[in-house]
Amino acid sequence: MLESLQSIQQLKYGNKSVLKKENWLNYLYMTEQKNINLEQVQSLSDIREHPVLQYTERTLQILDRLDISLEHKQILEDVLKWSEVAKCGSQDIRMEWEKQGYPLAIHNIASAHIYADEQIKMDFSDRDLFKEEVIYTLILTHGLVGQYIRGEVRFQQMLPLSKFVHLKMFSPSAFNELLYALNQCIIEAVSPDLWEQIEEQVTEVVQSVSYGEQVNEYPFKERLERLRYGSIHKGENFQLEIQQLLSDPGIEKRLSLFFHNTDMWYVESALSEFTLEEFFKIFLLLIRSSSSLTVRQITFEPLMKELHYDYKGKKSVNLYKKRIIEAYLADLSMENLLHHALPDNQHVCLQVLAYDSAQQLVGVSFQFSKAGEKLIEFCQEAEKHPLYERAIIMLYDFFGFRKDAYDRLQNEQTYLADMNNSQDFKRKIVDYAVGDTMLDIGPGGGFLLDLLSKRHPKANIIGIDIASNVVAELEKKKQREQRKWHVIQGDALDLQSYVGTKKVDTIIFSSILHEMFSYIPFEGEKFNTKVVEQALHSSFQALNPNGRIIIRDGIMTDPKETLRHLRFKNITDVAFFERYVQDFKGRNIQYEWINERTVSLPINDCMEFLYTFTWGEEAYPHEVQEQFGYFTPSEFKEAISQTLGETAVITVFEHYLQDGYEEHLLMKVEVTDVDGKSIGLPDSTCFIVIEKKG
């Protein structure tokens, strides 16, 4: 076993005396820092004590099992021991390093300086200057092969390695073995899968360095494509978007020159969640906001850390900050970024941190006003409470923009996944779809779009959603999975503006009308049935003769005056009900307590509460904002007749209790009639097909 691994083992067994003679280990252990690449972390709670030391140990364990010469193994052991120390150290030690001018933001350079400083402290007679030079240079260039493959650094940064071959200190084959082994250790320690993916590319780059092959720097567009690898993997249509963005030659000229002169760190980790256009704008802002002529190295580590936080035990992008940044960037045109003055924004701006006096090394993040930061913190705290919706409105008003009606922010991914559930009823919808053009209103995660495309491969399938974030996710899914459907951002209350009149054969409202009813103010009023009528009118105008409108949504029960008694089996759930009637936004819930566990209320108020009670605390802040049922069957038929007229024929009108409600609630409540007789839950859901006479 390597001596360094033995020292780590002694430390694990509680022998801290080893720290006195192993400074590298002391720095890694005595640290208040957690400077690790969040890109490889699934949960911030997983970042326990000494994450950098744990990573270093993994690199040494890989080295220990490699079949390479003893001389090379000894060199690499020292390289791996010292390569991460600049990420660590006590606060006092880090302050001392900063005083000495070590660029701690670029960890490999600072670690090389720290290593060199440690060697000077040794007795000169014990030093091997040739070996020190090799180790120093390998620390200095540590990780650059991987960073070059990712597009973050230029090939010229690795040229200092070639001197050892040029000076005949190593043969090309020996140096190739050394470099290959080093990169295997540092990449495989991050992820064995990652090493497997890029081993072939690493081999090519290492050979180019070792054998002195002439390598040209990546052209601007190829480097960009490498920097956007993660985004492309998630579905970004890079080739199409880059062509559109570079239609102005001034943009390519400005960015190409900047990229030619600059190395970058943590680009993908920080910027992969932003669109390519936003990516461009951030760099153009950076060029304007810094002494761009002197900048040679940029780290996006501050932004990477700023954008991530712990959400319910998992690493999550802080969507409050991301939306604010997106809105800020949306107000900046490419033309203005290149040639004109920019509007002032007192609440958010790009922050460029100079890490050296010459401003050759800078860090990048976004800075929010103090009041804005407090509001963001308030929103994060309000996530679990009905205050959430009001907190979001305050935040978005403060930063000067409005949220999309269905932007769920922190539960966005869960929401889109939920929209893909209930697959059986969506398959039923597909059975009733007809014609050559089909429109899915509020397509959510895209499951219904996929089903329609599979069942009707020759049809033109379109999804339309008011929320830009939903549209963006669907565009990525389309690109990633090579789907043929289309998606547009638009208003379902004005379909003619997006698809025209008499152009669509099937229009689908799958669990979306109740959200429009709940969230969209119509004539200044939310929870207004006129919004449902307008959605039906708009869709009917867009519908071809003989076309169909298909609706699957909530339903209320006739007669509305029917009473139900609701008995809570657990007395603690009474508080949930009392909180609900205060927080529910749809209407005033009418109720009367029969005893401490039993409440009497109208059948539809009872059912509306049970929807939220079923979903529980996590969904509570959102569910109290929505009303699932808005029409009884008779009211729905009347609304269709009055709104659409005689040419609208209802061919299917079904209503039923959705599976799962009774089973889920059985252990929590008992529902009876006014005489105390147990009775089943009323219908929750309707399925309606409306045909337009030819």
Side-chain angles (χ1 to χ4, degrees):
M1 179 185 288
L2 298 174
E3 289 184 8
S4 53
L5 287 174
Q6 293 176 21
S7 297
I8 293 173
Q9 287 296 321
Q10 290 180 50
L11 181 61
K12 285 183 174 180
Y13 291 138
N15 180 11
K16 292 189 178 181
S17 65
V18 70
L19 297 175
K20 296 179 181 179
K21 58 181 179 180
E22 300 286 0
N23 278 356
W24 65 273
L25 186 55
N26 185 44
Y27 295 146
L28 294 176
Y29 182 76
M30 303 297 290
T31 180
E32 300 166 21
Q33 305 295 309
K34 290 190 176 180
N35 290 322
I36 63 172
N37 190 342
L38 293 179
E39 192 175 34
Q40 300 295 333
V41 176
Q42 299 303 313
S43 170
L44 295 182
S45 61
D46 290 342
I47 306 176
R48 298 184 174 86
E49 284 190 302
H50 313 300
V52 179
L53 175 55
Q54 293 174 21
Y55 168 73
T56 301
E57 182 181 18
R58 290 197 300 274
T59 65
L60 290 165
Q61 288 169 342
I62 295 168
L63 175 63
D64 195 38
R65 62 175 168 77
L66 291 184
D67 183 18
I68 60 175
S69 70
L70 178 60
E71 178 190 7
H72 287 179
K73 189 166 287 192
Q74 289 173 341
I75 289 172
L76 294 183
E77 182 177 13
D78 279 341
V79 172
L80 296 173
K81 280 164 36 178
W82 289 97
S83 288
E84 305 292 333
V85 292
K87 296 180 180 179
C88 303
S90 67
Q91 195 63 36
D92 289 342
I93 289 172
R94 293 185 67 80
M95 289 177 63
E96 183 60 33
W97 288 341
E98 287 178 350
K99 286 180 183 178
Q100 295 184 49
Y102 299 163
L104 299 181
I106 307 297
H107 308 124
N108 59 322
I109 298 176
S111 293
H113 287 320
I114 295 166
Y115 167 77
D117 191 45
E118 292 291 329
Q119 300 313 300
I120 294 173
K121 298 175 185 177
M122 293 175 57
D123 188 312
F124 188 80
S125 62
D126 294 332
R127 294 172 61 186
D128 182 338
L129 297 182
F130 163 67
K131 183 179 178 182
E132 286 179 15
E133 178 72 16
V134 174
I135 294 169
Y136 171 84
T137 307
L138 289 174
I139 297 172
L140 188 69
T141 56
H142 175 269
L144 294 189
V145 171
Q147 301 301 88
Y148 170 72
I149 291 170
R150 290 162 63 99
E152 295 195 331
V153 304
R154 298 161 296 165
F155 187 84
Q156 64 180 271
Q157 290 294 82
M158 292 178 282
L159 294 181
L161 294 167
S162 302
K163 66 184 177 184
F164 298 112
V165 175
H166 293 156
L167 296 174
K168 302 187 184 305
M169 296 178 179
F170 285 92
S171 68
S173 60
F175 200 63
N176 186 76
E177 177 189 82
L178 190 70
L179 274 185
Y180 178 90
L182 174 60
N183 281 278
Q184 180 177 355
C185 291
I186 61 180
I187 296 172
E188 189 175 326
V190 172
S191 164
D193 289 340
L194 178 61
W195 171 246
E196 186 176 337
Q197 291 170 21
I198 68 172
E199 180 183 2
E200 187 175 334
Q201 295 180 70
V202 170
T203 300
E204 292 177 2
V205 176
V206 166
Q207 285 180 347
S208 297
V209 174
S210 301
Y211 289 89
E213 297 173 3
Q214 182 65 37
V215 175
N216 294 321
E217 301 289 357
Y218 291 132
F220 171 61
K221 291 181 184 177
E222 183 177 351
R223 190 174 176 192
L224 270 182
E225 188 169 4
R226 289 175 177 273
L227 287 170
R228 299 296 293 176
Y229 173 81
S231 304
I232 294 168
H233 184 70
K234 293 175 184 176
E236 177 176 280
N237 191 340
F238 178 82
Q239 296 301 334
L240 176 62
E241 292 183 30
I242 196 71
Q243 183 178 356
Q244 295 171 343
L245 288 167
L246 296 182
S247 58
D248 180 347
I251 296 174
E252 182 171 3
K253 185 183 297 184
R254 176 66 271 192
L255 290 177
S256 179
L257 182 61
F258 186 68
F259 273 56
H260 180 76
N261 295 328
T262 313
D263 299 300
M264 305 165 193
W265 309 86
Y266 298 103
V267 180
E268 190 175 347
S269 307
L271 300 183
S272 64
E273 296 292 335
F274 291 97
T275 67
L276 186 59
E277 180 177 350
E278 290 163 349
F279 179 96
F280 273 29
K281 287 181 175 181
I282 289 171
F283 273 99
L284 290 174
L285 264 177
L286 172 60
I287 292 169
R288 291 182 61 123
S289 305
S290 66
S291 301
S292 59
L293 295 177
T294 62
V295 170
R296 291 297 175 262
Q297 299 202 61
I298 305 167
T299 174
F300 285 87
E301 186 178 27
L303 179 57
M304 177 187 71
K305 291 181 175 179
E306 182 76 35
L307 278 177
H308 292 88
Y309 80 125
D310 195 82
Y311 178 70
K312 297 185 179 179
K314 292 184 178 180
K315 181 192 73 174
S316 176
V317 173
N318 190 316
L319 287 176
Y320 309 111
K321 292 183 177 180
K322 182 170 180 281
R323 293 281 186 270
I324 292 164
I325 294 169
E326 288 170 343
Y328 169 60
L329 295 173
D331 288 338
L332 306 175
S333 70
M334 292 288 197
E335 171 72 17
N336 285 344
L337 281 165
L338 281 173
H339 305 296
H340 305 295
L342 301 180
D344 290 332
N345 189 313
Q346 60 181 322
H347 295 307
V348 60
C349 64
L350 188 79
Q351 184 180 38
V352 180
L353 308 165
Y355 291 130
D356 66 328
S357 58
Q359 293 195 27
Q360 288 191 326
L361 167 59
V362 300
V364 178
S365 188
F366 279 88
Q367 185 176 32
F368 305 93
S369 64
K370 290 183 178 180
E373 286 279 7
K374 292 295 182 184
L375 269 175
I376 292 168
E377 291 174 12
F378 176 54
C379 287
Q380 291 172 200
E381 184 62 30
E383 285 167 359
K384 304 168 187 173
H385 305 285
L387 287 171
Y388 177 71
E389 188 74 14
R390 278 172 278 174
I392 295 300
I393 291 172
M394 288 171 60
L395 179 78
Y396 281 39
D397 281 345
F398 181 81
F399 282 99
F401 64 103
R402 299 299 304 170
K403 77 184 186 74
D404 293 325
Y406 307 117
D407 189 340
R408 294 301 189 101
L409 287 169
Q410 287 311 134
N411 78 330
E412 174 182 292
Q413 296 303 321
T414 303
Y415 173 67
L416 293 179
D418 287 344
M419 293 289 283
N420 277 343
N421 291 337
S422 306
Q423 298 177 6
D424 289 342
F425 83 74
K426 292 192 174 183
R427 290 190 173 90
K428 182 176 181 178
I429 288 173
V430 171
D431 290 340
Y432 282 89
V434 296
D436 297 325
T437 303
M438 302 175 182
L439 189 62
D440 181 17
I441 310 294
F447 181 78
L448 187 52
L449 295 176
D450 289 341
L451 278 184
L452 289 167
S453 297
K454 186 175 181 180
R455 182 71 65 84
H456 305 277
K458 295 183 179 180
N460 180 25
I461 312 298
I462 305 168
I464 183 169
D465 204 293
I466 196 172
S468 59
N469 60 306
V470 172
V471 173
E473 287 300 316
L474 285 171
E475 288 286 7
K476 291 178 184 177
K477 172 183 168 69
K478 176 184 177 181
Q479 177 71 12
R480 183 173 63 245
E481 301 177 7
Q482 296 298 296
R483 304 300 187 187
K484 294 183 178 180
W485 41 257
H486 306 284
V487 60
I488 56 177
Q489 183 177 4
D491 186 354
L493 302 183
D494 184 24
L495 287 178
Q496 294 74 37
S497 297
Y498 305 96
V499 297
T501 301
K502 297 181 181 180
K503 297 292 185 181
V504 184
D505 299 302
T506 297
I507 299 176
I508 299 166
F509 293 92
S510 176
S511 292
I512 198 67
L513 281 174
H514 78 274
E515 295 213 359
M516 297 171 68
F517 170 75
S518 301
Y519 288 106
I520 297 178
F522 196 81
E523 297 178 350
E525 181 185 357
K526 287 185 180 181
F527 302 101
N528 186 346
T529 55
K530 289 184 179 180
V531 78
V532 178
E533 294 166 359
Q534 176 59 30
L536 293 174
H537 174 75
S538 172
S539 58
F540 206 66
Q541 294 299 306
L543 203 64
N544 270 325
N546 301 315
R548 289 178 174 177
I549 298 173
I550 303 173
I551 300 168
R552 188 270 185 187
D553 217 322
I555 196 74
M556 298 172 78
T557 297
D558 283 319
K560 290 182 176 181
E561 298 78 18
T562 304
L563 293 178
R564 288 289 181 261
H565 288 183
L566 186 63
R567 187 179 76 85
F568 293 96
K569 296 181 179 181
N570 188 335
I571 190 66
T572 59
D573 287 334
V574 170
F576 188 101
F577 176 82
E578 291 179 330
R579 179 158 55 104
Y580 169 83
V581 297
Q582 295 296 319
D583 294 334
F584 181 57
K585 297 296 185 292
R587 61 179 182 268
N588 290 326
I589 301 295
Q590 306 297 315
Y591 66 99
E592 180 181 352
W593 286 105
I594 305 299
N595 56 51
E596 66 176 3
R597 289 177 183 244
T598 307
V599 63
S600 175
L601 66 172
I603 188 169
N604 293 310
D605 286 352
C606 175
M607 197 61 191
E608 196 66 50
F609 163 72
L610 290 176
Y611 297 138
T612 300
F613 192 46
T614 299
W615 287 103
E617 288 288 353
E618 183 173 352
Y620 182 86
H622 306 289
E623 294 302 319
V624 294
Q625 310 294 330
E626 299 178 6
Q627 182 173 312
F628 190 50
Y630 43 89
F631 284 141
T632 66
S634 60
E635 289 172 339
F636 222 138
K637 290 176 182 178
E638 178 67 17
I640 291 169
S641 175
Q642 291 294 322
T643 303
L644 305 184
E646 295 181 356
T647 56
V649 179
I650 299 173
T651 60
V652 178
F653 198 108
E654 303 171 353
H655 45 90
Y656 53 90
L657 178 65
Q658 186 174 318
D659 290 343
Y661 278 118
E662 286 190 323
E663 294 84 351
H664 185 82
L665 292 167
L666 185 63
M667 301 301 293
K668 295 184 176 182
V669 295
E670 180 184 9
V671 181
T672 70
D673 61 17
V674 293
D675 297 322
K677 179 181 177 182
S678 292
I679 194 165
L681 297 180
D683 290 345
S684 63
T685 308
C686 66
F687 183 82
I688 305 169
V689 179
I690 306 166
E691 289 190 358
K692 185 176 186 178
K693 288 182 181 179

